[in-house]
Amino acid sequence: MFQSLLLLSMLMLAVSIIVALARIFRQSSTISDRVLLIDSMSYTIIGIVAVLSIYLDSVAYVESILLLGILAFLSTIALCRYIERGVVIERKRHR
């Protein structure tokens, strides 16, 4: 029973990724919407990996979950800075 609930939750998370992809490729979405959808997709992928780790009864995926979380956070910050300022890293040159 528990195994089938885990599979159902992975299926629902996969459906949410498909819905987010459909919203990304829709023409009327703005850049800010796309950044938020990419962010939500990355955290959904983290959820899928976590459920898979529980399903397989393994702790081997914990490091990948942490790595995906860090990369998702940093990519969101970089995309938001690019939208706001036009550059990700500002270089101040004193001449």
Side-chain angles (χ1 to χ4, degrees):
M1 179 69 181
F2 184 67
Q3 302 290 328
S4 61
L5 287 176
L6 288 174
L7 288 174
L8 180 66
S9 66
M10 281 195 292
L11 178 70
M12 293 181 79
L13 288 169
V15 168
S16 71
I17 288 178
I18 292 169
V19 170
L21 279 173
R23 292 268 329 237
I24 284 175
F25 292 120
R26 203 174 74 187
Q27 296 294 333
S28 62
S29 62
T30 63
I31 295 293
S32 301
D33 290 338
R34 290 177 182 172
V35 169
L36 289 174
L37 286 169
I38 290 171
D39 189 40
S40 68
M41 281 177 42
S42 61
Y43 291 118
T44 305
I45 291 170
I46 290 171
I48 288 174
V49 173
V51 172
L52 182 68
S53 174
I54 294 169
Y55 181 74
L56 297 177
D57 196 24
S58 173
V59 295
Y61 297 107
V62 175
E63 290 89 8
S64 65
I65 291 170
L66 291 173
L67 181 65
L68 284 171
I70 291 169
L71 288 176
F73 174 73
L74 290 177
S75 66
T76 303
I77 296 298
L79 284 171
C80 290
R81 286 186 69 152
Y82 180 74
I83 290 171
E84 181 181 297
R85 298 181 184 161
V87 293
V88 177
I89 299 173
E90 294 181 17
R91 297 184 182 168
K92 296 179 182 176
R93 296 182 182 178
H94 299 297
R95 291 184 180 191

